[in-house]
Amino acid sequence: MIELFGVFLLALAVITAIGVVQARNLFAGVMLMGIFSLLMAATFFLLDAADVALTEAAVGAGISTVLMLSALALSGAEEKARSRSRILALIVVTVTAATVIYATFEKPRLGDPNAPVQQHVAPWYFDMTQEAIEIPNVVTAVLSSFRGYDTLGEVIVVFTAGIGVLFLIGAAAPKGRASPSQGDLPVGLKHHQPIRVVGKLAIPFILLFAFYVQFHGEYSPGGGFQAGALFAAAIILYGMLEGEATALSIIPAPVLFAMSAGGALLFGGVGVVCMLLGGNFLQYDVLLAGSPVGAQQMGIIAIELGVGITVAGTLLSIFFAFATRDQS
Amino acid sequence: MSEILGLFNYWVFVLLMVIGFYAVIAKPNLIKKLLGLSIFQAAVFLLFISMGKVDGGTAPIIQNGNWDAVFSNPLPQVLILTAIVVGISTLALGLAIVVRIKEAYGTIEEIDAIASGEATQLQQDSGESKQ
């Protein structure tokens, strides 16, 4: 039964994806993309990937849609009609699809416990998590301890992308567009009373959930990446309701930049502290004398915090860079 | 039946991948290309997560200290979790470039932008030859 539900979700996802590509109105395309992300999140959950589902729902369906919409506001939402023939593209795509589908016949069937991918490192990760880290969420253990180098790299990529966006379309102006002279113009959604009231009610709970996901990530699905995205989503919601300028007066742009850099620095700093204490880079065992397991848990909490701070700071800087850019 | 269900996720991966691929190569609108790239990316996520699934397994989070239950593979999940967040960062970078192209050329259609760039180039060349 659950398999059929998965088939249904994936069929819907394919239809939505075709809708995204065919929609002439880019606004409709972006909204369909949000639905597509939500369908993918549900599929990931069915495939036992709770952490990934949470990330996809927060980032793919939430933040990504908002960023796309703020870019559309600057670039125009209508796609021009084209009569150009697309036969060549269709041929290329069909050949690619046929080749890859042919290749899938060699793949192990879905859920096969004897597939090569299940044999190699996964059992080792379970054994070592039980032995050396003792936290229930193995995904978090692999993410922040066994593959800490990877995660540090990803955090640096996020940070670098944030810098790139700021270089391209400028840092958010501290004053914003909402000068008193245009007081009659609608700022944010101030004139939509019901949305404003309901939205504001939701913000504290989103923030609380973000902190729960951050600090409970060792025991339940979650961690720095999801928490950072949720935190950013709460502030973005506030910015949409009250205008970007008001939101920026609560978290000024310099604070956001400091968060982007500080989180990555905290992550790297933990690694350096490990080296100073005589271990290898990001080898948390040495952090707490006499208790390697406790030290591992301490290191994981510290670097997850760094991840969360960087992701939240970078996503918010990116959002405000788009939202406060002059539409002239 | 189980044969078809066992490969269904991979076929959906292929379909989604080529839908995104088609948008990237055939659509002239730059935002549409980025949407296509996001679909392509989601298809790869689906491939990885499907490979990590184990029959009768559960999410790799240990409950009540029971380490002997059947769990799905945590490694693909870790890779994809970070890839999603990196994906949004690169998407934002792409959108920023699109916004700059719109400001410089007044359009986000690939062909119009190239034509507008060539026209500017021609003007500059003729201006230089007059001097």
Side-chain angles (χ1 to χ4, degrees), chain A residues 221-242:
Chain A
F225 285 102
Q226 295 93 330
L230 285 166
F231 184 85
I235 306 290
I236 288 175
L237 179 59
Y238 186 75
M240 290 192 333
L241 293 174
E242 294 292 319

Side-chain angles (χ1 to χ4, degrees), chain A residues 23 48 80 109 136 168 325, chain B residues 3 32 72 100 103 112:
Chain A
D48 297 341
K80 275 193 187 171
R109 302 301 177 256
L168 279 166
R325 185 154 181 94
Chain B
E3 183 78 354
K32 197 50 98 43
S72 287
R100 288 305 295 264
E103 288 172 358
D112 294 350

Side-chain angles (χ1 to χ4, degrees), chain A residues 114-205:
Chain A
N114 298 316
V117 67
Q118 319 293 3
Q119 305 302 317
H120 184 42
V121 285
W124 188 86
Y125 280 140
F126 279 108
D127 291 346
M128 287 308 287
T129 305
Q130 186 177 13
E131 193 178 304
I133 303 183
E134 290 181 11
I135 63 171
N137 189 344
V138 182
V139 175
T140 303
V142 177
L143 178 99
S144 30
S145 186
F146 298 121
R147 299 188 72 94
Y149 278 43
D150 270 18
T151 310
L152 178 60
E154 312 270 18
V155 170
I156 302 287
V157 170
V158 171
F159 172 62
T160 315
I163 293 179
V165 171
L166 292 180
F167 267 129
L168 279 166
I169 57 174
K175 294 274 185 280
R177 274 175 301 172
S179 53
S181 59
Q182 24 175 222
D184 290 340
L185 290 173
V187 177
L189 294 169
K190 264 188 177 157
H191 295 269
H192 299 263
Q193 240 3 294
I195 300 178
R196 210 174 143 209
V197 171
V198 175
K200 274 194 162 174
L201 275 177
I203 291 172
F205 294 104

Side-chain angles (χ1 to χ4, degrees), chain B residues 4-103:
Chain B
I4 293 176
L5 275 183
L7 288 177
F8 181 76
N9 279 31
Y10 299 125
W11 293 342
V12 171
F13 148 69
V14 177
L15 272 181
L16 289 178
M17 185 186 77
V18 293
I19 289 169
F21 187 36
Y22 175 79
V24 172
I25 61 178
K27 295 283 175 180
N29 186 293
L30 294 171
I31 298 260
K32 197 50 98 43
K33 277 179 196 290
L34 285 175
L35 283 173
L37 212 55
S38 296
I39 295 175
F40 199 132
Q41 204 175 0
V44 177
F45 299 162
L46 177 66
L47 172 72
F48 269 67
I49 300 296
S50 298
M51 285 197 295
K53 166 80 179 159
V54 176
D55 265 342
T58 174
I61 297 168
I62 282 78
Q63 281 162 0
N64 309 322
N66 177 14
W67 288 86
D68 297 326
V70 179
F71 296 110
S72 287
N73 195 336
L75 184 57
Q77 303 188 8
V78 170
L79 299 179
I80 295 314
L81 196 162
T82 50
I84 289 175
V85 181
V86 169
I88 175 103
S89 311
T90 47
L91 173 75
L93 199 59
L95 287 174
I97 295 174
V98 171
V99 167
R100 288 305 295 264
I101 289 176
K102 165 75 177 179
E103 288 172 358

